[in-house]
Amino acid sequence: MELLELVTAYAGGPIGTALEIGAGTGKATRLFAQGGIAITASEPDAAMLAELHKHLPPNVTTLQAAFEDLPLDSSYDLVYSAAALHWTDPEGRWERMAALVRQGGVFTSFGVPIGLADPDLDEAARAARAPYLEDDGVPSPDGTSADLSMQWPGTELQQSEWFGDVRQVVIERLLTMSAHDYVGHLSTVSAYVLLAPADREEVFRRTLEVLPETVEINGQIHVHLARRQ
């Protein structure tokens, strides 16, 4: 709920309508639906939408479409994306986004780069995957160095003529999960997805061998907010 409260406070007024880009199975959809917002959840993958429909709040409608194919005949108080913005086409991204956010409305993007909290376990997991994958991090889509204060997409939003008041916020969270659930998360990370199936399974087997049954996770939520000019 802290994320919803953060976005609501930044908006500075009631959020009546929202568009979600890349809703997936609806984790973020259900969070924002708790705020009583009328949400249009867009997702190009039919299987993902089918999963979302199993737990669809009454104030949510769905639309099967990629960001680039969304109709531009409606604008929303809020447009948000949960760990899906990097899949959108950078060509014309912010002009199209500006058409979807009403003037004075809010755009927000957020993600959770999950990592092991214990540095010794993190090193053990790194050594386990090293023969197949040296680095499992997600590179910045615009090449921003990880040691700079403002990260993507805030860097692009700051350069955009359509958005202002760009903010970057980190919500601190420490989570506990089973090692199997942690590896399940890794299976969604692009660095692992791109491995050959046999190599991916071997990496996961090796990782599980060096981890205890439960692990603590840095589950920080990295949030970027901007206002439509």
Side-chain angles (χ1 to χ4, degrees):
M1 286 298 289
E2 191 175 349
L3 174 61
L4 177 59
E5 290 169 1
L6 172 69
V7 175
T8 302
Y10 176 85
I15 301 172
T17 61
L19 171 69
E20 181 174 8
I21 297 165
T25 58
K27 289 182 180 178
T29 317
R30 290 185 286 276
L31 170 65
F32 278 84
Q34 293 177 43
I37 304 166
I39 298 171
T40 300
S42 68
E43 167 58 49
D45 187 85
M48 291 281 195
L49 272 182
E51 190 65 29
L52 191 157
H53 279 141
K54 293 179 182 177
H55 309 283
L56 194 67
N59 53 323
V60 177
T61 58
T62 62
L63 179 62
Q64 186 176 349
F67 170 68
E68 294 75 19
D69 299 324
L70 288 169
L72 301 180
D73 55 357
S74 297
S75 60
Y76 301 83
D77 298 332
L78 169 69
V79 176
Y80 67 94
S81 180
L85 189 67
H86 63 285
W87 295 113
T88 62
D89 187 349
E91 185 67 33
R93 176 190 284 138
W94 299 113
E95 183 176 7
R96 170 169 279 272
M97 196 72 72
L100 293 166
V101 185
R102 69 161 178 80
Q103 193 165 18
V106 173
F107 167 78
T108 185
S109 174
F110 46 91
V112 184
I114 285 177
L116 293 162
D118 185 320
D120 291 335
L121 285 181
D122 189 56
E123 174 56 28
R126 189 206 64 76
R129 69 171 183 264
Y132 302 90
L133 184 66
E134 179 57 33
D135 185 6
D136 65 353
V138 179
S140 173
D142 67 351
T144 299
S145 173
D147 58 3
L148 293 180
S149 58
M150 180 61 75
Q151 291 292 301
W152 185 89
T155 45
E156 289 187 1
L157 285 161
Q158 285 180 326
Q159 298 171 24
S160 166
E161 64 185 277
W162 297 285
F163 292 92
D165 191 17
V166 180
R167 302 184 197 178
Q168 178 176 280
V169 181
V170 176
I171 299 173
E172 298 290 346
R173 294 191 310 167
L174 194 63
L175 310 174
T176 300
M177 65 175 64
S178 72
H180 282 278
D181 283 347
Y182 171 67
V183 168
H185 163 74
L186 295 183
S187 69
T188 69
V189 174
S190 55
Y192 296 91
V193 172
L194 294 173
L195 289 174
D199 290 348
R200 184 166 58 246
E201 290 307 311
E202 181 62 12
V203 168
F204 292 160
R205 186 190 68 78
R206 285 167 170 252
T207 301
L208 285 170
E209 278 187 347
V210 301
L211 296 181
E213 286 188 14
T214 60
V215 291
E216 282 200 324
I217 301 296
N218 284 324
Q220 299 167 326
I221 305 174
H222 293 234
V223 189
H224 288 92
L225 302 133
R227 196 175 308 279
R228 175 74 167 88
Q229 302 282 50

